Amino acid sequence: MRLELRHTRLRRLLATWMAALAAAPGLAPAQGAGVAYVSSEKDHTLTLIDLKTLAVTGTLATCKRPRHLQVTPDGKRMLVACAESNAADVVDLATRKSVGRVPLGDDPEAFDFSADGKTLYVSAEDDGELLMLDAATGKKLKAVKVGKEPEGVKTSLDGKLVYVSSEVASLVHVIETTSGKLLKNIAVGKRPRRFAITPDGAQLWVTNELGASVSIISTRDHSVVDTIQLSLKGARPEDITPVGVTISRDGKRAYVAMGRANHVAFIDVASRKVTDTVLVGKRAWNLALNQAQTQLWVVNGLSDDLTVIDLASAKALKSVPVGRVPYGVVLVE
């Protein structure tokens, strides 16, 4: 009886101690837990969402008008391009804290890294240039003149080329990374925005915001091999404004955020046919897949929320309120 009483008291003490520890102020959340970062253009913050509970766990102040965000190739840090700060905020992913700034030039929007992470390729919208910058210091290494209002930036899988979309010229520019030489201009649909590359590196997909379409480019000869015209029952063509695009790890399916149509299109890569459309929030903008390839996270720029989609059922699981005018999302697992 006494032994049982002692065990009961020990269990109660241990439970009390653990509860106090969990509630103690200033303790950081467990860093092993997966987290999504969502940039908010109006609030100048990143919203943090727990990947398991789908609950908001906090916010992180960042530079002004954060847009595109991307993890460094070594997986240790994340850069956040801030248009009104003309810089990238550098976030340490272990501590979830801002640890510095890197100058990016005027009004940066999208960027990508070289394979070794030492060079940044940044679209300079106001100047109509692709900037090649030292990733550590922001020092300009080269500037390549491209079409007006460059937007999307994507490095080829072998790191030898970088692709840039020009919204006004409706072109995709192919640039050699070592020399900065412009190799080719590819005519695509109206107002091209973002890119995705198939896992085998053979195809480059680019969304055409004002063309309601996706252009598919062969990376062998940089010719347009197909154009997927998007449609949605009950939606006017001008309301279908695709921006974000990503492709599954196995290369079988692509996902396209349809902008003001408030849906995401599921596309079979082999047949290039739309197989499903899923209703999300207002102005589906950018998106990301989780590591298990079971969920798609979609940022909705005009409803100030994010939709999590279950891919097996092609249904929305949850809508999560985030900051004002959310732009991009990165999942860190």
Side-chain angles (χ1 to χ4, degrees), residues 52-72:
K52 288 185 178 180
T53 64
L54 309 185
V56 173
T57 58
T59 58
L60 177 65
T62 188
C63 39
K64 292 183 179 179
R65 202 180 177 195
R67 290 171 165 177
H68 181 71
L69 58 172
Q70 189 169 326
V71 175
T72 56

Side-chain angles (χ1 to χ4, degrees), residues 196-260:
I197 298 177
T198 53
D200 61 4
Q203 297 176 9
L204 176 72
W205 289 44
V206 55
T207 52
N208 304 307
E209 185 183 9
L210 299 185
S213 64
V214 179
S215 296
I216 301 175
I217 298 168
S218 166
T219 58
R220 181 179 59 83
D221 60 3
H222 293 117
S223 63
V224 176
V225 295
D226 206 351
T227 300
I228 302 171
Q229 201 65 40
L230 300 173
S231 62
L232 184 69
K233 187 177 180 180
R236 298 174 299 178
E238 58 266 32
D239 287 335
I240 300 174
T241 53
V243 176
V245 56
T246 191
I247 296 175
S248 62
R249 192 184 303 117
D250 61 11
K252 293 182 178 180
R253 186 177 283 179
Y255 305 93
V256 178
M258 298 174 70
R260 292 197 303 270

Side-chain angles (χ1 to χ4, degrees), residues 117-129:
K118 294 181 179 180
T119 304
L120 278 171
Y121 307 115
V122 184
S123 55
E125 192 169 23
D126 290 347
D127 296 328
E129 293 178 331

Side-chain angles (χ1 to χ4, degrees), residues 183-200:
L183 299 178
K184 190 172 183 178
N185 295 319
I186 307 167
V188 290
K190 193 173 182 181
R191 198 177 173 88
R193 296 299 297 263
R194 293 306 179 97
F195 297 110
I197 298 177
T198 53
D200 61 4

Side-chain angles (χ1 to χ4, degrees), residues 103 195 246 278 294 322:
F195 297 110
T246 191
V278 180
T294 57
V322 292

Side-chain angles (χ1 to χ4, degrees), residues 146-220:
V146 293
K148 291 183 178 179
E149 295 188 23
E151 159 81 10
V153 181
K154 192 72 174 176
T155 308
S156 63
L157 297 189
D158 61 11
K160 295 180 180 179
L161 302 173
V162 60
Y163 301 99
V164 186
S165 62
S166 166
E167 297 179 15
V168 173
S170 295
L171 294 172
V172 170
H173 307 284
V174 185
I175 299 169
E176 191 176 56
T177 55
T178 52
S179 66
K181 182 181 179 181
L182 177 61
L183 299 178
K184 190 172 183 178
N185 295 319
I186 307 167
V188 290
K190 193 173 182 181
R191 198 177 173 88
R193 296 299 297 263
R194 293 306 179 97
F195 297 110
I197 298 177
T198 53
D200 61 4
Q203 297 176 9
L204 176 72
W205 289 44
V206 55
T207 52
N208 304 307
E209 185 183 9
L210 299 185
S213 64
V214 179
S215 296
I216 301 175
I217 298 168
S218 166
T219 58
R220 181 179 59 83

